[in-house]
Amino acid sequence: TELALDLAEAGVALDGTRTLRLSGRPIALAELKRVLGQAVARRPEQAVTLSADKALAYGEVAELLDAVRSAGIRKVGLEVRRK
């Protein structure tokens, strides 16, 4: 999956059913890290907007944020939304 590689800003979402998505497509956490790591390698300024369902526990969102940052993403925008 090369979804995020050529995007100015990638969208990562975690919905109320705990389905993780990258640019609207379901993705596993390990694959997300891999794809974002590749994106950063090609574009160090790669940005990500992280959105999560408001009903999710803070810890779940924090874990996702940690995963995004561990992939090398430094520009993260946060958005909270209700499903």
Side-chain angles (χ1 to χ4, degrees), residues 8-70:
E9 187 170 301
V12 175
L14 186 60
D15 67 23
T17 64
R18 293 170 178 75
T19 300
L20 182 60
R21 296 180 185 275
L22 174 61
S23 298
R25 296 185 181 174
I27 191 168
L29 186 60
E31 179 72 359
L32 175 70
K33 288 185 195 181
R34 186 187 70 75
V35 170
L36 292 179
Q38 289 177 349
V40 170
R42 290 182 58 188
R43 176 187 222 163
E45 73 281 0
Q46 178 70 50
V48 168
T49 298
L50 182 63
S51 61
D53 189 278
K54 191 173 183 175
L56 294 174
Y58 174 81
E60 292 176 277
V61 178
E63 182 179 343
L64 179 55
L65 179 58
D66 287 345
V68 169
R69 287 186 173 155
S70 75

